[in-house]
């Protein structure tokens, strides 16, 4: 005999049997049969911290999933799975797997994980510039580069603060930011 369905306390009763001499054996019942044919449920719960408006993070990311199984219960690994992504890179992914007590598994993958922890570098395009009276100050400019973001040059912010409007010292401040906010 076999049992169908799923459950933690199924039972099967055998048929009676008769031997050639006409003796009839009694039926046997086997109780407490555990059957789980369904994989556990895995649900993505959270990503902390959330990505910024550009889809980037500048720190490690923690991903959390929950696992559940109504038939045999959650097995190895428990009811929650936590994974940390710490490697710099664009469009990374991270997977988690839940296992039930029948050793069936379910997996989920989170994608579009972009981490950049490194600030862009900034270099001046020229050296000190001397200006004589009556000349216009020419901003030498700066070039920014980033380990992951090819679009860094479009986000250079240049702020010029003129200390003296005649011959003298000028201060030019350059800054650059990448998509991750570094």
């Amino acid at each position: 005999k076999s049992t169908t369905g799923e459950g933690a306390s199924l039972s099967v009763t055998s048929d009676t049997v008769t031997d050639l001499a006409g003796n009839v054996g009694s039926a046997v019942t086997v109780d407490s049969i555990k059957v789980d044919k369904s994989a556990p449920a895995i649900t993505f719960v959270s990503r902390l911290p959330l990505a910024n408006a550009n889809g980037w993070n500048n720190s490690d990311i923690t991903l959390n999933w929950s696992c559940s199984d109504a038939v045999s219960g959650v097995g190895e690994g428990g009811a929650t799975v936590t994974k940390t992504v710490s490697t710099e890179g664009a469009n990374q992914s991270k997977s988690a797997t839940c296992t039930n007590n029948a050793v069936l598994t379910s997996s989920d993958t989170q994608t579009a994980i972009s981490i950049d922890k490194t600030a862009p570098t900034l270099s001046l395009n020229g050296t000190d510039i001397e200006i004589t009276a009556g000349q216009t100050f020419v901003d030498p400019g700066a070039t920014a580069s980033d380990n992951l973001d090819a679009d860094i040059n479009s986000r250079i912010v240049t702020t010029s603060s003129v200390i003296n409007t005649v011959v003298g010292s000028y201060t030019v401040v350059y800054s650059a930011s990448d998509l991750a906010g570094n």
Side-chain angles (χ1 to χ4, degrees), residues 52-139:
N52 67 17
N54 297 314
W56 284 83
N57 285 82
N58 59 12
S59 63
D60 294 352
I61 298 169
T62 301
L63 304 169
N64 294 293
W65 290 264
S66 67
C67 305
S68 61
D69 189 279
V71 179
S72 67
V74 176
E76 183 180 325
T80 60
V81 177
T82 299
K83 300 277 184 158
T84 300
V85 183
S86 59
T87 304
E88 290 185 295
N91 296 315
Q92 301 176 78
S93 62
K94 195 64 150 180
S95 297
T97 300
C98 292
T99 305
N100 66 12
N101 285 315
V103 197
L104 300 171
T105 61
S106 293
S107 296
D108 179 68
T109 300
Q110 293 298 305
T111 60
I113 301 169
S114 297
I115 299 175
D116 182 357
K117 301 178 197 177
T118 306
T121 58
L122 193 59
S123 58
L124 293 175
N125 293 337
T127 59
D128 293 339
I129 297 174
E130 292 185 23
I131 300 172
T132 58
Q135 286 185 318
T136 304
F137 173 73
V138 178
D139 186 346

Side-chain angles (χ1 to χ4, degrees), residues 115-171:
I115 299 175
D116 182 357
K117 301 178 197 177
T118 306
T121 58
L122 193 59
S123 58
L124 293 175
N125 293 337
T127 59
D128 293 339
I129 297 174
E130 292 185 23
I131 300 172
T132 58
Q135 286 185 318
T136 304
F137 173 73
V138 178
D139 186 346
T143 302
S145 60
D146 189 68
N147 61 328
L148 293 171
D149 184 5
D151 190 35
I152 187 72
N153 290 323
S154 66
R155 287 184 309 287
I156 296 174
V157 177
T158 304
T159 305
S160 298
S161 302
V162 177
I163 294 175
N164 192 340
T165 57
V166 294
V167 175
S169 297
Y170 290 82
T171 299

Side-chain angles (χ1 to χ4, degrees), residues 30-43:
V30 177
D31 292 319
S32 302
I33 299 171
K34 297 178 181 179
V35 177
D36 187 352
K37 300 176 186 176
S38 302
I42 183 168
T43 305

